[in-house]
Amino acid sequence: MSCSSSITAMKKVVQQLWLEGGPNLVSQAAADLKQFCLQNSQHDPLLTGVSSSTNPFRPQKVCSFL
C-alpha cells in the first residue's frame, strides 16, 4: 500500500467515523449544556438580577460634607 493510498484510506475512515459519531456527540454536548444551564439558572445574575445592595457597579453616592 503506497503512502498516498494509505492517506486516502485513512481520510475515508475518519470521514465515516465523523458521520457516524459526529451528530450524536454534538447532540449529547448540547443536552449536557442545556442541563447545566437549567441547573444553575437560579445563580445567574443575568437571569435573576442583582440586588442594589450587593451590586459593585451601582452609582456611588455623592459626599455631602462639602
Side-chain angles (χ1 to χ4, degrees), residues 1-47:
M1 188 175 223
S2 70
C3 183
S4 64
S5 63
S6 175
I7 292 173
T8 304
M10 284 189 243
K11 284 183 180 181
K12 286 182 181 180
V13 169
V14 168
Q15 183 179 16
Q16 184 63 34
L17 288 172
W18 190 88
L19 289 173
E20 291 176 8
N24 292 334
L25 294 176
V26 171
S27 296
Q28 182 61 42
D32 292 345
L33 181 60
K34 180 180 175 183
Q35 181 182 3
F36 175 82
C37 291
L38 291 173
Q39 287 176 346
N40 295 300
S41 63
Q42 68 272 11
H43 303 295
D44 189 340
L46 295 176
L47 297 175

